[in-house]
Amino acid sequence: MGTGEFLERRILRIWPAHLIMLALLAAFVFGTGPIGLAPQNPRWFQWSKLPPQIFLVQAWFMPGTSGWNMPTSTLSALIVCYAGFPAAWRS
């Protein structure tokens, strides 16, 4: 299995479920706002913080809080490891 195939298989395992959960979270946050249920930390749910979350790059030296789905910062870091593992293994 080549490096590209390894990385592709790992990303395809993680990313679709991540996108579904992020979409559900966004729907929940924006759907409950109009009925008076605002988030406790609204600065975490800014539109500007969403793109790094979507592409799972929020743990790649981005300054400040990651916002949105905070546990996915682990997945973001894992993608870097998955990308580097095959190269390190062959060395």
Side-chain angles (χ1 to χ4, degrees):
M1 176 182 327
T3 303
E5 184 182 355
F6 179 84
L7 181 59
E8 180 183 357
R9 288 178 62 191
R10 294 307 177 265
I11 290 173
L12 289 175
R13 270 186 110 156
I14 295 169
W15 205 41
H18 163 68
L19 289 178
I20 291 167
M21 290 308 300
L22 192 58
L24 291 171
L25 177 61
F28 179 77
V29 168
F30 291 113
T32 57
I35 61 171
L37 297 172
Q40 290 181 354
N41 294 307
R43 68 183 182 278
W44 289 355
F45 301 103
Q46 297 170 1
W47 284 110
S48 63
K49 296 188 184 288
L50 192 55
Q53 286 278 326
I54 290 170
F55 296 105
L56 287 171
V57 295
Q58 72 272 25
W60 299 6
F61 310 107
M62 299 281 180
T65 60
S66 61
W68 290 94
N69 192 0
M70 296 278 262
T72 61
S73 62
T74 302
L75 295 176
S76 176
L78 277 174
I79 289 175
V80 173
C81 294
Y82 286 146
F85 178 75
W89 183 259
R90 290 181 185 173
S91 298

